[in-house]
């Protein structure tokens, strides 16, 4: 087996070429996520890419919601080498200055989306708490992730219109994660097919304020037991502060599970209460075009052959699309206040099945 370019660097973690990963699990992944918005909620870009070494696949996607329409493009190819910069079809990511500046390019205007955008981190990237989920005895997710808030500049093209992206207006969040999670073609469920899934409740809120970034992560099971808890503030000078156990209440649009706002109580180290309010200005649906769990059209890591590319347009008012909305995670443009200060970022939420604290009794129940 020939060495790969990464083998030139002193970064090995195992007695293997960096063509391979130490984990033999087919679900090993290594990918990134970005979002960009102009603080209005009228337009929202979500994009990212990943490599799946044990599946031999590299892929990327981009989705833009504008008005009541969501455009998506996704591309995939064989992974023969693990590149320093992800490059698949019309999509590429260039690391200009690690942990500070990233450029992403997508030339797929024939599918309604194109861009050349440069990310600049506003505050230091921060590691999140390790994330482990099990289905019975099986670890279905075992991953690490770092997140960062920042600004964008460049140009975005949507359905033939070119939009100037300037850092005084355009903000966003990004993350890099790696480890194990369900990817690629579905595998036989085995025991899980006979055991009832009760419910999952998830909240992920990375926010950018003028002097600091703030990340709140909560995951709960059907009875409200919290299985992941993280509330961290990072200041521009690198200081990191933990903000206790978030007390969360979410207001949903009546007759749905789509959140309108979140009320989150935090606590500073000295006991000072901090009240975080996050309002949704608009959203994009991750499981309609972006390849996340529940996407009936395509999921990350799926083998579609070499040089595969596909575009799709979703009418978000279509009854079929509306019916799918409760069965996955939705990303919102979030406007936040923390004790009088205004911030912006991602308000990501999903609740599937039963969740006692929210009053959801089964898969079909919605807010009154």
């Amino acid at each position: 087996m020939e060495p790969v370019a990464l083998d030139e660097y002193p970064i090995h973690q195992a007695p293997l070429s960096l063509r391979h990963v130490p984990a033999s699990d087919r679900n090993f992944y290594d990918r990134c996520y970005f979002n960009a918005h102009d603080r209005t909620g009228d337009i929202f870009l979500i994009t990212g890419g990943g490599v799946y070494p044990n599946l031999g696949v590299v892929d990327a996607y981009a989705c833009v919601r504008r008005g009541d329409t969501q455009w998506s493009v996704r591309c995939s190819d064989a992974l023969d080498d693990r590149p320093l910069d992800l490059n698949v079809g019309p999509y590429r990511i260039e690391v200009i200055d690690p942990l500070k500046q990233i450029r992403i390019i997508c030339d797929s205007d024939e599918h309604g989306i194109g861009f050349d955008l440069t990310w600049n981190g506003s505050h230091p990237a921060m590691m999140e708490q390790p994330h482990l989920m099990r289905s019975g005895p099986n670890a279905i997710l075992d991953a690490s992730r770092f997140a960062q808030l920042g600004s964008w500049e460049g140009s975005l093209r949507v359905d033939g219109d070119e939009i100037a992206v300037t850092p005084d207006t355009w903000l966003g969040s990004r993350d890099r994660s790696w480890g194990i999670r369900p990817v690629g073609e579905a595998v036989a469920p085995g025991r899980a097919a006979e055991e009832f899934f009760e419910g999952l409740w998830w909240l992920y809120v990375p926010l950018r304020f003028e002097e600091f970034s703030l990340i709140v992560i909560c995951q709960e099971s059907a009875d409200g037991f919290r299985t992941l808890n993280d509330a961290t503030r990072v200041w521009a000078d690198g200081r990191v502060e933990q903000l206790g156990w978030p007390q969360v209440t979410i207001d949903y649009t009546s007759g749905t599970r789509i959140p309108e706002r979140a009320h989150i109580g935090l606590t500073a180290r000295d006991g000072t209460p901090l009240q975080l309010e996050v309002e949704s200005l608009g959203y994009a649906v991750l499981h309609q075009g972006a390849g996340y769990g529940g996407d009936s059209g395509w999921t990350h890591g799926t083998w579609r052959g070499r040089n595969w590319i596909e575009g799709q347009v979703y009418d978000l008012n279509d009854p079929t699309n509306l019916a799918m909305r409760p069965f996955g995670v939705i990303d919102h443009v979030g406007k936040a206040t923390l004790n009088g200060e205004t911030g912006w970022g991602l308000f990501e939420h999903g609740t599937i099945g039963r969740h006692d604290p929210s009053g959801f009794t089964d898969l079909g129940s919605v807010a009154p």
Side-chain angles (χ1 to χ4, degrees), residues 233 235 239-245 266-275 339:
R233 173 161 57 179
W235 297 84
R239 287 178 295 131
V240 178
E241 180 183 7
Q242 292 176 304
L243 299 178
W245 187 274
L266 304 170
T267 307
R269 182 66 179 267
D270 63 4
T272 301
L274 303 170
Q275 186 60 37
N339 286 20

Side-chain angles (χ1 to χ4, degrees), residues 19 50-59 77-83 303 306:
R19 181 187 297 271
V51 298
Y52 310 90
N54 294 339
L55 297 175
V57 173
V58 56
D59 56 34
D77 207 343
L79 177 68
D80 296 320
D81 191 352
R82 295 187 68 189
W303 174 245
R306 293 179 181 269

Side-chain angles (χ1 to χ4, degrees), residues 1 50 65 89 97 108 123 175 207 213 250 322 345:
M1 182 69 69
R65 176 170 183 172
D97 190 354
S108 59
H123 304 121
D175 64 60
L207 299 166
S213 294
I250 294 183
L322 288 170

